[in-house]
Amino acid sequence: MPIWSGRAEWLRQLRHQVTETEQGRAVLAANRIAVDTLMACANAHARFAETRTGRGVTASKARIAEHAGASNSTIMRSRRVLKALAMGVEHARGRTLSTSEYMAAEAHHGGRQHKAASTWSLSSPKSVVMATPPLERARRNRRTRTVASAAVRSSNTSAREHTKAAASGSSKRNHCDPLSPSAFVLSFSSEGSSHQRAHARKTISPKTQRPIELQRAAASLAAHAPLFNTSSHIGVIADGIHKAGIDPTRWTGRDIAQALSRHTAENGQIWPTASEIKSPAAFLRFKLSQLDWTGPSPSEKRAEADTTRRREIAERHAESARQEAMTASASSRAAARAAFAEHLAKARTGRSN
């Protein structure tokens, strides 16, 4: 299934399909939904999709309807439109959980879950991409900023007086030869200043970038512990993890959240609310400094337990295979019983004689 072209571009493609193509208008009329309503529902779906691929839309209809400001029936009609245009694909239909699934869900996240939502992906098919006209972007004039600055300076009274004085003193400056040394110095200075401004806008050096494992751990911790996700940038959480000496290749964000929750419960403490914390970054550093992160992480313990279970299962299968190999077949057992019966018959005949 083709991935989407990005959230904004996918929405633009959808609007073009339902407003500029006969198929889109027919599908819209068949499902009795307005363009603005459809776009609101589509925007709510796109909000829960993966940024890079457009997949992973697992939110319930009620939650999507809440973000779209629409009813569940309207969400269903919008999904039928997405299906008809091949811009939305339903991978799994929502259903009611079984008893074992309900218990597993409760053990996983601690809440009560009776139903599983549908799984959707948002797609940008090739035909839709080719039919959508490209977005025209206005080219930026390289001299726009220079001309604007000159206009501002020319509006200034002192600048006008200076211009008049310069014009009366030497009229030849207004008609300077472009190949003269003065013109060369002027153009070189302009280019140099532009280069300096471009150099000043350079981003952080690659040496200061955070490892991808650290970024993933910080994002996962923010997802499992929203209390710390009130800072302006996820890098604050990543720096807190790094300063605490936590190895992100061993400890995931979920592991860190579980360890903090367990430590808080074991010490008889309760988590404060977000409104009670003035500095989430400082509170995170304080919580992380109270634990020892050199031991095995929950992920490592789960992996070790899984390895142990797989080894035990393999040993049981090997033992069963060995016992089965030692067990005689039905024909062998029948032949053995026949030979034994013949031996008994010969023994009885010998005693009677």
Side-chain angles (χ1 to χ4, degrees), residues 66-253:
E66 180 182 356
H67 285 278
S71 62
N72 287 353
S73 61
T74 304
I75 297 298
M76 293 299 296
R77 293 200 301 272
S78 66
R79 286 184 170 183
R80 285 195 290 268
V81 173
L82 296 179
K83 277 186 178 181
L85 298 177
M87 300 188 69
V89 180
E90 184 180 22
H91 298 287
R93 180 65 60 88
R95 58 181 177 82
T96 303
L97 299 180
S98 62
T99 303
S100 59
E101 291 172 336
Y102 166 77
M103 297 175 64
E106 185 177 10
H108 175 67
H109 52 67
R112 295 185 177 182
Q113 180 180 350
H114 299 280
K115 294 182 179 181
S118 301
T119 301
W120 278 72
S121 293
L122 308 181
S123 175
S124 293
K126 182 178 179 180
S127 59
V128 174
V129 175
M130 298 299 293
T132 305
L135 184 62
E136 296 183 358
R137 301 181 182 274
R139 292 186 177 182
R140 183 181 178 184
N141 191 350
R142 296 178 60 183
R143 299 187 61 186
T144 302
R145 183 162 47 189
T146 305
V147 174
S149 300
V152 173
R153 287 195 301 268
S154 63
S155 63
N156 189 281
T157 305
S158 60
R160 286 199 304 269
E161 294 176 354
H162 177 74
T163 303
K164 292 179 181 179
S168 60
S170 177
S171 60
K172 294 184 179 180
R173 293 183 182 179
N174 296 331
H175 304 283
C176 182
D177 185 0
L179 297 180
S180 64
S182 61
F184 175 77
V185 172
L186 178 61
S187 63
F188 180 81
S189 301
S190 300
E191 293 177 0
S193 60
S194 300
H195 175 74
Q196 292 175 357
R197 289 193 297 269
H199 182 74
R201 290 194 296 268
K202 285 187 176 180
T203 56
I204 302 176
S205 173
K207 296 182 180 180
T208 61
Q209 292 182 357
R210 302 174 181 87
I212 186 62
E213 294 83 2
L214 180 60
Q215 298 181 35
R216 290 173 178 170
S220 179
L221 177 59
H224 290 87
L227 182 66
F228 303 124
N229 195 20
T230 57
S231 56
S232 58
H233 196 272
I234 198 67
V236 177
I237 301 179
D239 293 341
I241 295 175
H242 177 69
K243 291 179 180 179
I246 303 175
D247 186 0
T249 60
R250 297 176 48 243
W251 289 81
T252 64

Side-chain angles (χ1 to χ4, degrees), residues 270-294:
I270 58 174
W271 285 97
T273 60
S275 59
E276 296 175 346
I277 300 179
K278 297 181 179 179
S279 177
F283 183 67
L284 174 62
R285 291 193 297 268
F286 167 73
K287 295 293 291 184
L288 294 178
S289 64
Q290 293 183 321
L291 279 76
D292 181 17
W293 305 99
T294 58

